[in-house]
Amino acid sequence: RNQGVTTVLNIFFGPRINGIFGIANQVDGQLINFANTLTAAITPQIIKSDGQGDRNKMMLLSVFSSKLTFLLSAIFAIPLLLELPLVLSVWLKEVPEYTDLYCKVILYMFLVCELYPGLTRGIQAVGQIKWQQILTSFVVLMPIPIGVVLFKLGYPHYTIIYLMLIAQIVSAGITIYFSKKYFKLPLGPFLLFLLEAVVTFLGAYY
């Protein structure tokens, strides 16, 4: 996805906008490395629980992992969002126009990603990854062809990062659906967690 978006931005808007997207991805990459470390620590327990036939424990660990990862990720991401202009000015000295916007939207996307990593691990533990992987991969790649069409119609360069954010939200919905289907994720409590996470984020950020 990122390589495709990079190529499209470079073709339509040149290296300057492409460079801004690259800066945003550097910020995102550091946070993703941190989040992946958290998820990796609990993944063996999720897989072990399902292997032992304790699907209820596996489900609880999957949900707990998602909550913990989002909480710890938000602890880093929200202060970064609040002080992003200062951080960018210290890091880059001369901050290109739209860098702040790109970084913010990419960080929103990161936080959406960290709402459900445990569910992805739960689906992997069950062994029913085919359609979840196909559909989520298709969705997260769709901003590339849609972006090409919109750019040909004259839409601004930052349209594609909003498309990426929307795609990530849709991908989350797909993963939640398959979690409900494959290991009986309690939909009500998990949706309540999502609502609480969004409200907490909005309250802290705005």
Side-chain angles (χ1 to χ4, degrees), residues 70-91:
F70 177 79
L71 172 64
L72 296 178
S73 298
I75 288 173
F76 286 91
I78 291 176
L80 180 57
L81 282 165
L82 290 171
E83 299 297 334
L84 191 56
L86 174 62
V87 172
L88 290 174
S89 65
V90 171
W91 178 28

Side-chain angles (χ1 to χ4, degrees), residues 118-193:
L119 302 187
T120 302
R121 300 296 181 269
I123 292 171
Q124 292 171 349
V126 173
Q128 299 286 347
I129 65 171
K130 178 181 176 181
W131 285 108
Q132 187 263 347
Q133 289 291 308
I134 289 173
L135 291 176
T136 54
S137 297
F138 175 78
V139 167
V140 298
L141 288 173
M142 282 307 294
I144 299 171
I146 294 174
V148 169
V149 173
L150 293 180
F151 292 155
K152 286 182 177 293
L153 294 174
Y155 280 74
H157 55 84
Y158 49 78
T159 303
I160 200 164
I161 58 171
Y162 287 112
L163 291 173
M164 291 172 67
L165 176 59
I166 293 169
Q168 199 65 60
I169 293 170
V170 174
S171 178
I174 292 170
T175 302
I176 292 169
Y177 166 77
F178 281 109
S179 299
K180 172 69 174 176
K181 179 178 180 179
Y182 292 140
F183 57 88
K184 309 302 180 186
L185 173 74
L187 201 55
F190 193 79
L191 292 178
L192 180 61
F193 153 65

Side-chain angles (χ1 to χ4, degrees), residues 43-59 61-62 121-127 183:
T43 297
Q45 290 301 316
I46 293 174
I47 296 173
K48 178 182 177 182
S49 297
D50 193 75
Q52 292 175 338
D54 193 346
R55 185 150 293 179
N56 187 58
K57 181 180 178 182
M58 182 275 285
M59 180 195 66
L61 285 171
S62 297
R121 300 296 181 269
I123 292 171
Q124 292 171 349
V126 173
F183 57 88

Side-chain angles (χ1 to χ4, degrees), residues 105-117:
V105 177
I106 292 295
L107 285 171
Y108 298 156
M109 193 170 67
F110 163 75
L111 286 173
V112 172
C113 286
E114 300 315 313
L115 285 168
Y116 62 97

